[in-house]
PDB file of all heavy atoms in Angstrom:
ATOM      1  N   SER U  19     123.409 108.968  84.843  1.00 96.00           N
ATOM      2  CA  SER U  19     123.929 109.230  86.180  1.00 96.00           C
ATOM      3  C   SER U  19     122.962 108.884  87.233  1.00 96.00           C
ATOM      4  O   SER U  19     123.268 108.626  88.382  1.00 96.00           O
ATOM      5  CB  SER U  19     124.402 110.663  86.260  1.00 96.00           C
ATOM      6  OG  SER U  19     123.362 111.565  86.270  1.00 96.00           O
ATOM      7  N   PHE U  20     121.619 109.005  86.896  1.00 97.00           N
ATOM      8  CA  PHE U  20     120.591 108.744  87.914  1.00 97.00           C
ATOM      9  C   PHE U  20     120.627 107.221  88.344  1.00 97.00           C
ATOM     10  O   PHE U  20     120.144 106.967  89.428  1.00 97.00           O
ATOM     11  CB  PHE U  20     119.188 108.981  87.303  1.00 97.00           C
ATOM     12  CG  PHE U  20     118.847 110.413  87.080  1.00 97.00           C
ATOM     13  CD1 PHE U  20     117.726 110.755  86.445  1.00 97.00           C
ATOM     14  CD2 PHE U  20     119.725 111.435  87.526  1.00 97.00           C
ATOM     15  CE1 PHE U  20     117.434 112.153  86.246  1.00 97.00           C
ATOM     16  CE2 PHE U  20     119.431 112.746  87.355  1.00 97.00           C
ATOM     17  CZ  PHE U  20     118.254 113.111  86.744  1.00 97.00           C
ATOM     18  N   LEU U  21     121.172 106.333  87.563  1.00 98.00           N
ATOM     19  CA  LEU U  21     121.240 104.923  87.930  1.00 98.00           C
ATOM     20  C   LEU U  21     122.032 104.703  89.160  1.00 98.00           C
ATOM     21  O   LEU U  21     121.787 103.809  89.935  1.00 98.00           O
ATOM     22  CB  LEU U  21     121.711 104.052  86.780  1.00 98.00           C
ATOM     23  CG  LEU U  21     120.809 104.026  85.550  1.00 98.00           C
ATOM     24  CD1 LEU U  21     121.569 103.298  84.417  1.00 98.00           C
ATOM     25  CD2 LEU U  21     119.502 103.400  85.876  1.00 98.00           C
ATOM     26  N   ASN U  22     123.048 105.531  89.371  1.00 97.00           N
ATOM     27  CA  ASN U  22     124.021 105.445  90.523  1.00 97.00           C
ATOM     28  C   ASN U  22     123.563 106.333  91.654  1.00 97.00           C
ATOM     29  O   ASN U  22     124.220 106.298  92.690  1.00 97.00           O
ATOM     30  CB  ASN U  22     125.437 105.778  90.082  1.00 97.00           C
ATOM     31  CG  ASN U  22     125.958 104.838  89.083  1.00 97.00           C
ATOM     32  OD1 ASN U  22     125.721 103.611  89.221  1.00 97.00           O
ATOM     33  ND2 ASN U  22     126.746 105.278  88.218  1.00 97.00           N
ATOM     34  N   GLN U  23     122.411 106.985  91.515  1.00 97.00           N
ATOM     35  CA  GLN U  23     122.053 107.927  92.551  1.00 97.00           C
ATOM     36  C   GLN U  23     120.765 107.539  93.313  1.00 97.00           C
ATOM     37  O   GLN U  23     120.557 107.915  94.419  1.00 97.00           O
ATOM     38  CB  GLN U  23     121.843 109.341  91.943  1.00 97.00           C
ATOM     39  CG  GLN U  23     123.099 109.936  91.374  1.00 97.00           C
ATOM     40  CD  GLN U  23     122.895 111.271  90.797  1.00 97.00           C
ATOM     41  OE1 GLN U  23     122.035 112.041  91.265  1.00 97.00           O
ATOM     42  NE2 GLN U  23     123.480 111.545  89.727  1.00 97.00           N
ATOM     43  N   TYR U  24     119.858 106.754  92.615  1.00 97.00           N
ATOM     44  CA  TYR U  24     118.524 106.552  93.137  1.00 97.00           C
ATOM     45  C   TYR U  24     118.107 105.087  93.104  1.00 97.00           C
ATOM     46  O   TYR U  24     118.504 104.265  92.191  1.00 97.00           O
ATOM     47  CB  TYR U  24     117.532 107.371  92.381  1.00 97.00           C
ATOM     48  CG  TYR U  24     117.815 108.826  92.444  1.00 97.00           C
ATOM     49  CD1 TYR U  24     118.285 109.427  91.353  1.00 97.00           C
ATOM     50  CD2 TYR U  24     117.601 109.538  93.612  1.00 97.00           C
ATOM     51  CE1 TYR U  24     118.636 110.791  91.381  1.00 97.00           C
ATOM     52  CE2 TYR U  24     117.922 110.916  93.576  1.00 97.00           C
ATOM     53  CZ  TYR U  24     118.427 111.476  92.491  1.00 97.00           C
ATOM     54  OH  TYR U  24     118.756 112.856  92.482  1.00 97.00           O
ATOM     55  N   ILE U  25     117.322 104.626  94.121  1.00 97.00           N
ATOM     56  CA  ILE U  25     116.705 103.327  94.097  1.00 97.00           C
ATOM     57  C   ILE U  25     115.648 103.256  92.920  1.00 97.00           C
ATOM     58  O   ILE U  25     115.255 104.309  92.544  1.00 97.00           O
ATOM     59  CB  ILE U  25     116.158 102.919  95.454  1.00 97.00           C
ATOM     60  CG1 ILE U  25     114.966 103.859  95.840  1.00 97.00           C
ATOM     61  CG2 ILE U  25     117.259 102.973  96.552  1.00 97.00           C
ATOM     62  CD1 ILE U  25     114.162 103.336  97.028  1.00 97.00           C
ATOM     63  N   PRO U  26     115.260 102.028  92.565  1.00 98.00           N
ATOM     64  CA  PRO U  26     114.345 101.924  91.460  1.00 98.00           C
ATOM     65  C   PRO U  26     113.014 102.755  91.571  1.00 98.00           C
ATOM     66  O   PRO U  26     112.604 103.457  90.654  1.00 98.00           O
ATOM     67  CB  PRO U  26     113.983 100.456  91.360  1.00 98.00           C
ATOM     68  CG  PRO U  26     115.266  99.850  91.855  1.00 98.00           C
ATOM     69  CD  PRO U  26     115.769 100.720  92.954  1.00 98.00           C
ATOM     70  N   GLU U  27     112.417 102.793  92.739  1.00 97.00           N
ATOM     71  CA  GLU U  27     111.169 103.523  92.924  1.00 97.00           C
ATOM     72  C   GLU U  27     111.336 105.009  92.803  1.00 97.00           C
ATOM     73  O   GLU U  27     110.552 105.693  92.078  1.00 97.00           O
ATOM     74  CB  GLU U  27     110.580 103.272  94.306  1.00 97.00           C
ATOM     75  CG  GLU U  27     110.068 101.849  94.556  1.00 97.00           C
ATOM     76  CD  GLU U  27     111.220 100.834  94.995  1.00 97.00           C
ATOM     77  OE1 GLU U  27     112.393 101.209  95.011  1.00 97.00           O
ATOM     78  OE2 GLU U  27     110.899  99.704  95.259  1.00 97.00           O
ATOM     79  N   SER U  28     112.485 105.514  93.248  1.00 97.00           N
ATOM     80  CA  SER U  28     112.805 106.907  93.117  1.00 97.00           C
ATOM     81  C   SER U  28     113.155 107.268  91.633  1.00 97.00           C
ATOM     82  O   SER U  28     112.840 108.328  91.201  1.00 97.00           O
ATOM     83  CB  SER U  28     113.961 107.333  94.059  1.00 97.00           C
ATOM     84  OG  SER U  28     113.443 107.267  95.336  1.00 97.00           O
ATOM     85  N   LEU U  29     113.872 106.374  91.010  1.00 98.00           N
ATOM     86  CA  LEU U  29     114.243 106.551  89.605  1.00 98.00           C
ATOM     87  C   LEU U  29     112.951 106.701  88.740  1.00 98.00           C
ATOM     88  O   LEU U  29     112.846 107.641  87.930  1.00 98.00           O
ATOM     89  CB  LEU U  29     115.035 105.435  89.087  1.00 98.00           C
ATOM     90  CG  LEU U  29     115.405 105.492  87.567  1.00 98.00           C
ATOM     91  CD1 LEU U  29     116.411 106.613  87.277  1.00 98.00           C
ATOM     92  CD2 LEU U  29     116.013 104.136  87.180  1.00 98.00           C
ATOM     93  N   ILE U  30     111.953 105.824  88.993  1.00 98.00           N
ATOM     94  CA  ILE U  30     110.745 105.937  88.178  1.00 98.00           C
ATOM     95  C   ILE U  30     110.025 107.270  88.502  1.00 98.00           C
ATOM     96  O   ILE U  30     109.557 107.920  87.623  1.00 98.00           O
ATOM     97  CB  ILE U  30     109.830 104.700  88.501  1.00 98.00           C
ATOM     98  CG1 ILE U  30     110.482 103.447  88.041  1.00 98.00           C
ATOM     99  CG2 ILE U  30     108.405 104.888  87.954  1.00 98.00           C
ATOM    100  CD1 ILE U  30     110.748 103.327  86.536  1.00 98.00           C
ATOM    101  N   ARG U  31     109.953 107.600  89.775  1.00 97.00           N
ATOM    102  CA  ARG U  31     109.230 108.857  90.167  1.00 97.00           C
ATOM    103  C   ARG U  31     109.960 110.089  89.516  1.00 97.00           C
ATOM    104  O   ARG U  31     109.308 110.962  88.985  1.00 97.00           O
ATOM    105  CB  ARG U  31     109.297 108.937  91.689  1.00 97.00           C
ATOM    106  CG  ARG U  31     108.438 110.163  92.210  1.00 97.00           C
ATOM    107  CD  ARG U  31     108.378 110.132  93.832  1.00 97.00           C
ATOM    108  NE  ARG U  31     108.077 108.805  94.359  1.00 97.00           N
ATOM    109  CZ  ARG U  31     108.933 108.158  95.172  1.00 97.00           C
ATOM    110  NH1 ARG U  31     110.064 108.686  95.492  1.00 97.00           N
ATOM    111  NH2 ARG U  31     108.573 107.016  95.609  1.00 97.00           N
ATOM    112  N   LEU U  32     111.321 110.060  89.553  1.00 97.00           N
ATOM    113  CA  LEU U  32     112.071 111.123  88.953  1.00 97.00           C
ATOM    114  C   LEU U  32     111.825 111.253  87.471  1.00 97.00           C
ATOM    115  O   LEU U  32     111.763 112.344  86.937  1.00 97.00           O
ATOM    116  CB  LEU U  32     113.483 110.920  89.267  1.00 97.00           C
ATOM    117  CG  LEU U  32     114.547 111.978  88.844  1.00 97.00           C
ATOM    118  CD1 LEU U  32     114.154 113.367  89.501  1.00 97.00           C
ATOM    119  CD2 LEU U  32     115.913 111.564  89.198  1.00 97.00           C
ATOM    120  N   LEU U  33     111.882 110.106  86.780  1.00 98.00           N
ATOM    121  CA  LEU U  33     111.604 110.147  85.340  1.00 98.00           C
ATOM    122  C   LEU U  33     110.259 110.662  85.000  1.00 98.00           C
ATOM    123  O   LEU U  33     110.076 111.507  84.004  1.00 98.00           O
ATOM    124  CB  LEU U  33     111.736 108.741  84.758  1.00 98.00           C
ATOM    125  CG  LEU U  33     113.197 108.153  84.696  1.00 98.00           C
ATOM    126  CD1 LEU U  33     113.141 106.713  84.311  1.00 98.00           C
ATOM    127  CD2 LEU U  33     114.159 109.038  83.815  1.00 98.00           C
ATOM    128  N   HIS U  34     109.197 110.334  85.820  1.00 98.00           N
ATOM    129  CA  HIS U  34     107.856 110.888  85.587  1.00 98.00           C
ATOM    130  C   HIS U  34     107.852 112.375  85.803  1.00 98.00           C
ATOM    131  O   HIS U  34     107.281 113.115  84.964  1.00 98.00           O
ATOM    132  CB  HIS U  34     106.829 110.228  86.556  1.00 98.00           C
ATOM    133  CG  HIS U  34     106.233 109.007  85.991  1.00 98.00           C
ATOM    134  ND1 HIS U  34     105.521 108.975  84.812  1.00 98.00           N
ATOM    135  CD2 HIS U  34     106.223 107.719  86.549  1.00 98.00           C
ATOM    136  CE1 HIS U  34     105.189 107.724  84.619  1.00 98.00           C
ATOM    137  NE2 HIS U  34     105.535 106.967  85.608  1.00 98.00           N
ATOM    138  N   HIS U  35     108.581 112.814  86.844  1.00 97.00           N
ATOM    139  CA  HIS U  35     108.609 114.319  87.115  1.00 97.00           C
ATOM    140  C   HIS U  35     109.331 114.955  85.998  1.00 97.00           C
ATOM    141  O   HIS U  35     109.022 116.116  85.679  1.00 97.00           O
ATOM    142  CB  HIS U  35     109.277 114.578  88.464  1.00 97.00           C
ATOM    143  CG  HIS U  35     108.415 114.090  89.664  1.00 97.00           C
ATOM    144  ND1 HIS U  35     109.073 113.806  90.859  1.00 97.00           N
ATOM    145  CD2 HIS U  35     107.123 113.864  89.750  1.00 97.00           C
ATOM    146  CE1 HIS U  35     108.020 113.379  91.658  1.00 97.00           C
ATOM    147  NE2 HIS U  35     106.924 113.417  90.998  1.00 97.00           N
ATOM    148  N   GLN U  36     110.442 114.338  85.471  1.00 97.00           N
ATOM    149  CA  GLN U  36     111.177 115.004  84.391  1.00 97.00           C
ATOM    150  C   GLN U  36     110.296 115.168  83.200  1.00 97.00           C
ATOM    151  O   GLN U  36     110.288 116.146  82.498  1.00 97.00           O
ATOM    152  CB  GLN U  36     112.393 114.127  84.002  1.00 97.00           C
ATOM    153  CG  GLN U  36     113.515 114.197  85.033  1.00 97.00           C
ATOM    154  CD  GLN U  36     114.242 115.533  85.059  1.00 97.00           C
ATOM    155  OE1 GLN U  36     114.641 115.954  83.970  1.00 97.00           O
ATOM    156  NE2 GLN U  36     114.257 116.146  86.136  1.00 97.00           N
ATOM    157  N   ALA U  37     109.537 114.097  82.831  1.00 98.00           N
ATOM    158  CA  ALA U  37     108.608 114.133  81.684  1.00 98.00           C
ATOM    159  C   ALA U  37     107.541 115.254  81.862  1.00 98.00           C
ATOM    160  O   ALA U  37     107.273 116.044  80.921  1.00 98.00           O
ATOM    161  CB  ALA U  37     107.892 112.844  81.516  1.00 98.00           C
ATOM    162  N   GLU U  38     106.976 115.410  83.094  1.00 97.00           N
ATOM    163  CA  GLU U  38     105.962 116.408  83.339  1.00 97.00           C
ATOM    164  C   GLU U  38     106.637 117.792  83.229  1.00 97.00           C
ATOM    165  O   GLU U  38     105.998 118.734  82.717  1.00 97.00           O
ATOM    166  CB  GLU U  38     105.409 116.221  84.789  1.00 97.00           C
ATOM    167  CG  GLU U  38     104.542 114.943  84.869  1.00 97.00           C
ATOM    168  CD  GLU U  38     104.224 114.629  86.373  1.00 97.00           C
ATOM    169  OE1 GLU U  38     104.587 115.379  87.253  1.00 97.00           O
ATOM    170  OE2 GLU U  38     103.579 113.668  86.505  1.00 97.00           O
ATOM    171  N   ALA U  39     107.883 117.948  83.743  1.00 97.00           N
ATOM    172  CA  ALA U  39     108.453 119.293  83.635  1.00 97.00           C
ATOM    173  C   ALA U  39     108.783 119.623  82.224  1.00 97.00           C
ATOM    174  O   ALA U  39     108.648 120.798  81.844  1.00 97.00           O
ATOM    175  CB  ALA U  39     109.800 119.220  84.504  1.00 97.00           C
ATOM    176  N   LYS U  40     109.268 118.698  81.472  1.00 98.00           N
ATOM    177  CA  LYS U  40     109.634 118.945  80.010  1.00 98.00           C
ATOM    178  C   LYS U  40     108.370 119.328  79.235  1.00 98.00           C
ATOM    179  O   LYS U  40     108.397 120.174  78.353  1.00 98.00           O
ATOM    180  CB  LYS U  40     110.378 117.807  79.437  1.00 98.00           C
ATOM    181  CG  LYS U  40     111.805 117.747  79.919  1.00 98.00           C
ATOM    182  CD  LYS U  40     112.479 116.570  79.359  1.00 98.00           C
ATOM    183  CE  LYS U  40     113.932 116.642  79.719  1.00 98.00           C
ATOM    184  NZ  LYS U  40     114.830 117.500  78.976  1.00 98.00           N
ATOM    185  N   LEU U  41     107.228 118.660  79.582  1.00 98.00           N
ATOM    186  CA  LEU U  41     105.983 119.029  78.932  1.00 98.00           C
ATOM    187  C   LEU U  41     105.539 120.398  79.338  1.00 98.00           C
ATOM    188  O   LEU U  41     105.166 121.231  78.525  1.00 98.00           O
ATOM    189  CB  LEU U  41     104.885 117.959  79.284  1.00 98.00           C
ATOM    190  CG  LEU U  41     103.558 118.291  78.711  1.00 98.00           C
ATOM    191  CD1 LEU U  41     103.543 118.181  77.142  1.00 98.00           C
ATOM    192  CD2 LEU U  41     102.477 117.281  79.276  1.00 98.00           C
ATOM    193  N   GLY U  42     105.628 120.714  80.620  1.00 97.00           N
ATOM    194  CA  GLY U  42     105.220 122.043  81.116  1.00 97.00           C
ATOM    195  C   GLY U  42     106.011 123.143  80.534  1.00 97.00           C
ATOM    196  O   GLY U  42     105.467 124.204  80.373  1.00 97.00           O
ATOM    197  N   TYR U  43     107.294 122.904  80.324  1.00 97.00           N
ATOM    198  CA  TYR U  43     108.178 123.993  79.744  1.00 97.00           C
ATOM    199  C   TYR U  43     108.128 123.947  78.229  1.00 97.00           C
ATOM    200  O   TYR U  43     108.830 124.794  77.601  1.00 97.00           O
ATOM    201  CB  TYR U  43     109.580 123.847  80.223  1.00 97.00           C
ATOM    202  CG  TYR U  43     109.739 124.340  81.611  1.00 97.00           C
ATOM    203  CD1 TYR U  43     110.023 123.437  82.651  1.00 97.00           C
ATOM    204  CD2 TYR U  43     109.681 125.659  81.900  1.00 97.00           C
ATOM    205  CE1 TYR U  43     110.271 123.971  83.897  1.00 97.00           C
ATOM    206  CE2 TYR U  43     109.823 126.184  83.165  1.00 97.00           C
ATOM    207  CZ  TYR U  43     110.129 125.308  84.212  1.00 97.00           C
ATOM    208  OH  TYR U  43     110.300 125.796  85.467  1.00 97.00           O
ATOM    209  N   GLY U  44     107.452 123.012  77.608  1.00 97.00           N
ATOM    210  CA  GLY U  44     107.342 122.976  76.150  1.00 97.00           C
ATOM    211  C   GLY U  44     108.557 122.348  75.465  1.00 97.00           C
ATOM    212  O   GLY U  44     108.663 122.458  74.343  1.00 97.00           O
ATOM    213  N   THR U  45     109.421 121.712  76.253  1.00 97.00           N
ATOM    214  CA  THR U  45     110.615 121.040  75.697  1.00 97.00           C
ATOM    215  C   THR U  45     110.179 119.823  74.839  1.00 97.00           C
ATOM    216  O   THR U  45     110.858 119.506  73.860  1.00 97.00           O
ATOM    217  CB  THR U  45     111.617 120.639  76.837  1.00 97.00           C
ATOM    218  OG1 THR U  45     111.835 121.717  77.642  1.00 97.00           O
ATOM    219  CG2 THR U  45     112.843 120.033  76.266  1.00 97.00           C
ATOM    220  N   ILE U  46     109.180 119.200  75.333  1.00 98.00           N
ATOM    221  CA  ILE U  46     108.509 118.095  74.555  1.00 98.00           C
ATOM    222  C   ILE U  46     107.049 118.341  74.374  1.00 98.00           C
ATOM    223  O   ILE U  46     106.488 119.080  75.193  1.00 98.00           O
ATOM    224  CB  ILE U  46     108.821 116.656  75.216  1.00 98.00           C
ATOM    225  CG1 ILE U  46     108.105 116.631  76.619  1.00 98.00           C
ATOM    226  CG2 ILE U  46     110.217 116.372  75.308  1.00 98.00           C
ATOM    227  CD1 ILE U  46     108.040 115.173  77.216  1.00 98.00           C
ATOM    228  N   GLY U  47     106.539 117.759  73.319  1.00 98.00           N
ATOM    229  CA  GLY U  47     105.027 117.928  73.097  1.00 98.00           C
ATOM    230  C   GLY U  47     104.246 116.791  73.721  1.00 98.00           C
ATOM    231  O   GLY U  47     104.816 115.897  74.300  1.00 98.00           O
TER     232      GLY U  47
END
C-alpha cells in the first residue's frame, strides 16, 4: 500500500524507519 502513498525518497525513508522500529521492538533481530 505504501507504493500508492509515497514518492520514492519517502518510501525509502519509511522502510528504513520501519526496520529501525522493528529492531527496537524486538520484532526482528
Side-chain angles (χ1 to χ4, degrees):
S19 66
F20 290 172
L21 294 174
N22 295 323
Q23 296 179 39
Y24 304 104
I25 65 170
E27 292 85 353
S28 293
L29 176 67
I30 294 300
R31 190 174 314 117
L32 184 61
L33 290 172
H34 273 302
H35 292 156
Q36 289 289 307
E38 291 168 2
K40 285 179 177 279
L41 177 64
Y43 282 111
T45 307
I46 62 171

